[in-house]
Amino acid sequence: MKRILDKIKSYETIIIHGHKRPDGDCYGSQFGLKNIIKTSFPQKQVYVVGEKSDFVSFLGDIDQIEDKTYDQALAIVVDTATKDRISDPRYVQAKEVIKIDHHIPVDQYGSIRWVQTDFPSCAQMITYFYYTFKHELKMTLEGANALYTGIVTDTGRFRFRGVSNITHQLAGLLLDQGVDVEYIDQNLSKESLSMIALKGYVYSNFVTTEGGFIYLKMTQDVMKKYKVTEEQAASVVNLLGGIEGYPVWALFIEYETEIRVRLRASGPTIDHLANQYQGGGHAKAAGAKLESWDQLNTFVKDVEALIKEYYKQNE
Ligand code: AMP
């Protein structure tokens, strides 16, 4: 952390990257870090780049920057384990790259890497960073809102394993900065009628397998029918969670060039399986890719084998 702070101090231009299809933690970490750097060192140029997320757009706007901005810049990539998931590939043009992440490491990119897999969100890392150096760093309410949002979204509102005493203490310190929990919850809990209808579809059309896997195929046709974006469609994965007898669940989302798998588990460890399908993540929440629906059967069999092994070990 000290080396990261020294680097931040030594660069005039800092560009903060996240991952493709950013979520609350990605945005929260990006905008939280931007706010800390900008408030502490107002003369520095700090940008957040990458894809836009409608879900957490209340945290800030993505900056549009020219290639030449990278010439003398420091790029900090947050919340991203693999190089190919980094949003805006121009990070390689920066003079130096730093990785700050809480996922199980896959790619060793960056000259400085701070990876903390025991933290349930990357926003918790940024908050921890801030409080470690609080005698020399500053933050405004905007930054605290972003970090708090990152912490609550990646912990499923403080429900997932990994939430610790430190998580609550750091979240509490953000509340001391004036975070309005109701404002954040209202933004995160907005629901459209089309999303309610889509949820009805999910509950009526999921597939269960004998081996204990439950999933849904979210095809382009379904998304069109229910008039939802891919981001909205992907958000329903947890509807399939916690169902008795089904310790692994997944949502398969059909994109133009690939099928994205959002894989979740309540018992078995699934990140290794995700690794076999161009993915990764955490032990109980991972992402992967299928090239086409032809791979679905094999994927289902692999999940079932994993569940079987898990039951055998826990007999
Ligand atoms: P998601 O289902 O997209 O929320 O992903 C669950 C977790 O796995 C997140 O922490 C992601 O950052 C990670 N993840 C998702 N997709 C991939 C991927 N293709 N490669 C590596 N990690 C991933």
Side-chain angles (χ1 to χ4, degrees), residues 29-45:
S29 302
Q30 285 182 284
F31 286 106
L33 183 58
K34 176 180 175 176
N35 181 271
I36 292 166
I37 301 174
K38 200 65 204 163
T39 315
S40 311
F41 311 104
Q43 75 288 359
K44 293 190 192 292
Q45 302 303 314

Side-chain angles (χ1 to χ4, degrees), residues 81-83 99 105-111 113 115:
T82 47
K83 280 190 205 161
K99 174 187 188 185
V106 180
D107 288 336
Q108 307 287 345
Y109 66 83
S111 57
R113 296 181 290 274
V115 175

Side-chain angles (χ1 to χ4, degrees), residues 78-270:
V78 297
D79 198 39
T80 314
T82 47
K83 280 190 205 161
D84 72 332
R85 288 198 83 225
I86 300 174
S87 186
D88 200 332
R90 292 181 297 171
Y91 77 95
V92 290
Q93 294 172 31
K95 210 156 168 236
E96 214 166 338
V97 178
I98 291 176
K99 174 187 188 185
I100 300 179
D101 187 30
H102 72 124
H103 296 99
I104 297 163
V106 180
D107 288 336
Q108 307 287 345
Y109 66 83
S111 57
I112 300 178
R113 296 181 290 274
W114 174 28
V115 175
Q116 191 92 40
T117 53
D118 57 339
F119 274 27
S121 67
C122 189
Q124 180 175 317
M125 295 176 71
I126 307 294
T127 312
Y128 187 64
F129 177 79
Y130 171 77
Y131 280 100
T132 303
F133 301 112
K134 67 175 183 305
H135 50 287
E136 47 185 328
L137 294 178
K138 294 189 189 115
M139 175 182 4
T140 67
L141 175 58
E142 206 181 321
N145 274 337
L147 293 170
Y148 192 84
T149 301
I151 292 174
V152 293
T153 51
D154 246 33
T155 58
R157 319 285 211 264
F158 299 104
R159 285 178 304 135
F160 299 157
R161 185 161 296 128
V163 170
S164 66
N165 177 321
I166 298 174
T167 310
H168 282 282
Q169 286 197 42
L170 290 170
L173 291 167
L174 293 172
L175 293 180
D176 284 347
Q177 300 271 335
V179 166
D180 179 350
V181 290
E182 208 169 306
Y183 163 77
I184 290 175
D185 188 61
Q186 275 167 3
N187 273 288
L188 294 176
S189 306
K190 272 187 216 149
E191 200 77 285
S192 62
L193 275 181
S194 50
M195 277 303 288
I196 301 286
L198 181 75
K199 287 181 177 179
Y201 174 84
V202 174
Y203 279 130
S204 314
N205 291 278
F206 58 75
V207 177
T208 54
T209 78
E210 276 189 20
F213 181 34
I214 181 164
Y215 67 88
L216 181 98
K217 284 169 73 172
M218 185 66 79
T219 60
Q220 284 289 330
D221 286 350
V222 173
M223 292 185 258
K224 281 196 189 102
K225 183 172 170 203
Y226 288 90
K227 298 190 178 64
V228 292
T229 63
E230 287 162 344
E231 184 186 14
Q232 287 174 315
S235 73
V236 298
V237 60
N238 283 331
L239 294 186
L240 301 176
I243 301 172
E244 211 177 338
Y246 298 93
V248 181
W249 63 100
L251 188 64
F252 295 90
I253 308 131
E254 186 179 65
Y255 285 81
E256 219 165 88
T257 52
E258 69 192 24
I259 295 155
R260 175 185 168 207
V261 190
R262 298 196 77 192
L263 188 62
R264 302 288 185 268
S266 55
T269 298
I270 46 168

